[in-house]
Amino acid sequence: MPDVQSTVVEFVNKLRKRKIEGSQATAKYTVELLRSVISHQRVPHANQAAALIDAVKAVGEQLIAANPVELAVGNVVRRVLHIIREEDLSLTTAAMGGLDLLDASDDDDVDNCKGIGFPAMSAAVVAAAARSTLRPPSLQTLLEGTPESATVPYTSSSGADSESKSKSADKSSLTRKLKHDVIEGVNQLIQEIAGCHEQIAEQAIEHIHQNEVILTLGSSRTVLEFLCAAKEKKRSFRVFVAEGAPRYQGHLLAKELVARGLQTTVITDSAVFAMISRVNMVIIGAHAVMANGGVIGPVGVNMAALAAQKHAVPFVVLAGSHKLCPLYPHNPEVLLNELRSPSELLDFGEFSDCLDFGAGSGSLQVVNPTFDYVPPNLVSLFITDTGGHNPSYMYRLIADYYSADDLVM
Amino acid sequence: MHSAVYKVGLHYLSWDISGGNARCIAMLQAFQEVVKDYSTPPENTLNRDMTAQISSYVSFLIECRPLSISMGNAIRFVKNRIAKLPITLSESEAKASLHSDIERFINEKIIGADTVIVEHAVTKIRDGDVLLTYGSSTVIEMILVHAHELGKKFRVFVVDSRPKLQGKLLLRRLIKRGINCTYTHITAISYIMHQVTKVFLGASSVFSNGTVYSRVGTACVAMVANAFRVPVLVCCEAYKFHEKVQLDYSICSNELGDPNAISKVHGREDINYLNGLTNNAKLKFLNLMYDATPSDYISMIITDYGMVPPTSVPVIVREYQKEHLLQSSKIVI
């Protein structure tokens, strides 16, 4: 436990100081940390899921508070909570089926009864999982505040000691099985995050065609792999990269594209409107995708989206599923933005000869935001690791990944 | 080659003189020097020979930097004046007449027009306004300074863009005058547009269909302002209007700047990512100078003939040309 605690503190410090760059790296570190938390958590016999959920929530709140703008942290925490709830529901259903089997069986027909019970159990699990994801929180649940995990109905047995002992053994194995299943689910999530680039890049062949011109902004590894996958399939196309002053992420992306052999042209940010009429498609990576289908992207991306809409150019957003955020963007330009150092725009002391305070000179402020918000009506298509989707479908995709109870933490 | 024209050309090359008005005034003043020092060769007429000389000087200036539309219109004015000179005038009278014509053009169509535009535009600035301007425009600076002198309380967002970063020059001049400013790059335009109440933009030209031709990035600013329902006011002198119709000026007739200006990031060696890559065959740099803003993004065009919607531009073009014809008729009479 002290080992996990020090790891949490270390990660919180990194998040607070913005040492980890990029949503994917942040998501990876977060999910690995939560796996350690789950692995080391001691769970009681009753309400194992509630204990795990509370532990993950406690750590998750610390991580989210450390960097509120990095939405991938909250996304991953909610995904892990969803995994715990799903595994608990699955085990509860299996346990009910098992008890029925035990109660109904006699020594001679044990094998036959188990065989008959399997299809019913599977159907019950599927139906319960579907109900769990779609069920809105009921008023009774909200008022009573009871945990969602259904407790196993325990019937006092008048059987022999051997039967009581077997039930105790079942309960103990259920506890270990829950944690084991949760860790397996978290491992799958880790692989999903690590492999989202390949999943998205596989779809490049369908969207990029011969002799097309692609415009992109920002520096996104997903976009880089997407374009390189199309290049490897012998698609001959050109890429316009906006330079993205004052951070010049576009220069970085252009350098990597040229190293991979793509035909690249760097343009100024101000030339986006001028060039958009010659562009076949705009492709960007997203920092986050909100519940309404809006996109948080690198600064300047809303300008490109408006220009693309004006010229009827498709605006395509690439996003791994770890970037889907169940929050609604209230006032996203301010609350979901981060202001960087003014020295990226004006050097310190550059205007000090003009700013003679008290002598009638004007004041000077410098604005250097990191992100832009793009409303969903400007987005033509989302490409995620599960395929292409309309912005209007994102809320449904989000319902698959998150539990309703975890939206507010 | 006249030394005055040669000097102006060098200023164009080194970008010491930039901006439509400044370049036009410098060129016209050089032409005045040419006229002053001119003498007619024995076997030629003044009209034909001076026109040929002016044409050769214009070719030299085009080599230094392509003409702006305002300069093209001014050159047409000068050649028209030369062609209209009566044969009965003596050489000294013709030269004096031409010199005063050019002087009047500068004073009325450029400097006087700016004064009228400032008077019109200042009426649109109210206390508490948050104004946004892009790059550096002389007439916009005059408007802001005059509004400040009238005691109006407002803030100015100065939006800038690479690689020229001309907004810094405007920012410096405004702060010295005591105007409260906020500085940002064009990528952050969506972030700051919520606070803006009006957008003032300069223009290199306005075409007959209302399209505004201006420094690259102007279309982006007007587009984002339009998306946020912020009025866009374009300030442009009438002599910069053109009867041409153009839907997309960005590729057909644009001017290219130095490509290496994009790959180089001055003063910050840590993020010079593309240093050493300028010779790569796969990597190109495109440094456009102008773009075309569609007329539906523009709320109002403020000109020396008044404040008009973009749909009225051809009316002003016609009135402008008619005025010159009338002057020609008077001279003939």
Side-chain angles (χ1 to χ4, degrees), chain A residues 290 296 328-337 373, chain B residues 191 194:
Chain A
M290 312 309 290
I296 306 289
Y328 187 87
H330 298 281
N331 203 3
E333 294 86 2
V334 176
L335 296 178
L336 296 175
N337 216 322
Y373 172 73
Chain B
Y191 177 81
H194 302 87

Side-chain angles (χ1 to χ4, degrees), chain A residues 134-146:
Chain A
L134 289 177
R135 182 188 61 230
S138 66
L139 184 60
Q140 181 185 1
T141 304
L142 293 178
L143 288 178
E144 293 180 358
T146 55

Side-chain angles (χ1 to χ4, degrees), chain A residues 102-342:
Chain A
L102 285 176
D103 290 340
S105 71
D106 55 46
D107 291 340
D108 295 334
D109 298 327
V110 164
D111 290 337
N112 292 337
C113 288
K114 282 187 179 178
I116 292 170
F118 268 110
M121 190 188 305
S122 302
V125 167
V126 171
R131 284 197 304 270
S132 170
T133 54
L134 289 177
R135 182 188 61 230
S138 66
L139 184 60
Q140 181 185 1
T141 304
L142 293 178
L143 288 178
E144 293 180 358
T146 55
E148 278 297 309
S149 61
T151 54
V152 178
Y154 180 77
T155 57
S156 60
S157 171
S158 59
D161 279 345
S162 61
E163 197 166 357
S164 298
K165 182 177 291 185
S166 84
K167 285 189 176 178
S168 298
D170 281 347
K171 202 170 293 183
S172 178
S173 70
L174 282 182
T175 301
R176 279 194 295 272
K177 188 161 169 37
L178 174 69
K179 190 189 268 195
H180 174 74
D181 286 353
V182 165
I183 290 178
E184 263 198 13
V186 171
N187 283 338
Q188 281 183 17
L189 178 58
I190 291 176
Q191 286 176 18
E192 183 184 306
I193 292 172
C196 72
H197 292 329
E198 287 81 22
Q199 304 273 344
I200 292 174
E202 279 173 14
Q203 306 169 59
I205 195 91
E206 303 169 20
H207 299 286
I208 297 181
H209 311 112
Q210 186 79 344
N211 288 336
E212 279 199 347
V213 181
I214 309 291
L215 172 70
T216 185
L217 295 88
S219 177
S220 167
R221 178 155 170 239
T222 313
V223 171
L224 175 66
E225 298 298 331
F226 191 84
L227 297 174
C228 292
K231 163 90 171 125
E232 285 162 12
K233 299 296 182 183
K234 305 306 176 188
R235 294 283 195 262
S236 172
F237 60 97
R238 293 161 54 204
V239 183
F240 282 104
V241 183
E243 60 177 0
R247 296 181 66 194
Y248 302 100
Q249 300 280 290
H251 285 198
L252 207 56
L253 180 62
K255 186 173 187 177
E256 290 168 346
L257 288 171
V258 164
R260 303 276 208 107
L262 275 84
Q263 194 74 42
T264 307
T265 303
V266 181
I267 63 173
T268 56
D269 305 306
S270 46
V272 163
F273 191 96
M275 294 309 302
I276 202 78
S277 60
R278 297 301 188 274
V279 162
N280 296 103
M281 188 185 292
V282 181
I283 297 181
I284 63 152
H287 175 71
V289 179
M290 312 309 290
N292 67 335
V295 179
I296 306 289
V299 72
V301 75
N302 186 46
M303 186 172 68
L306 287 165
Q309 190 193 47
K310 168 71 177 177
H311 288 85
V313 173
F315 187 83
V316 176
V317 177
L318 312 182
S321 55
H322 61 278
K323 297 187 178 181
L324 304 185
C325 186
L327 302 178
Y328 187 87
H330 298 281
N331 203 3
E333 294 86 2
V334 176
L335 296 178
L336 296 175
N337 216 322
E338 189 166 64
L339 295 180
R340 299 171 62 88
S341 171

Side-chain angles (χ1 to χ4, degrees), chain A residues 240 243 245-248 251-252 254-255 258 261-271 273-275 277-278 299-300 302-303 306-307 310 333 337 339 344-346 350-351 353-355 360-367 369 372, chain B residues 134 161-163 168 171-172 175-176 178-192 194 216-217 219-220 223-224 227 248 250-251 262 265 268 271 273-274 277 280-286 288 291-292 294 296-297:
Chain A
F240 282 104
E243 60 177 0
R247 296 181 66 194
Y248 302 100
H251 285 198
L252 207 56
K255 186 173 187 177
V258 164
L262 275 84
Q263 194 74 42
T264 307
T265 303
V266 181
I267 63 173
T268 56
D269 305 306
S270 46
F273 191 96
M275 294 309 302
S277 60
R278 297 301 188 274
V299 72
N302 186 46
M303 186 172 68
L306 287 165
K310 168 71 177 177
E333 294 86 2
N337 216 322
L339 295 180
E344 290 179 357
L345 272 69
L346 296 179
E350 184 174 350
F351 274 72
D353 56 320
C354 304
L355 294 164
S361 66
S363 69
L364 169 59
Q365 298 177 37
V366 181
V367 173
D372 248 5
Chain B
Y134 172 63
S161 74
R162 283 246 311 154
K168 283 187 184 181
L171 181 69
R172 178 176 293 267
I175 289 177
K176 282 185 170 174
I179 298 173
N180 296 330
C181 298
T182 303
Y183 177 79
T184 190
H185 274 194
I186 193 172
T187 46
I189 191 83
S190 298
Y191 177 81
I192 61 177
H194 302 87
V216 72
C220 293
M223 174 188 64
V224 176
D248 185 7
S250 311
I251 302 299
I262 294 186
V265 180
R268 295 170 67 190
I271 56 171
Y273 303 122
L274 297 172
L277 277 175
N280 195 302
K282 290 287 185 178
L283 183 58
K284 294 183 176 60
F285 299 94
L286 186 58
L288 296 176
D291 65 13
D296 42 337
Y297 288 156

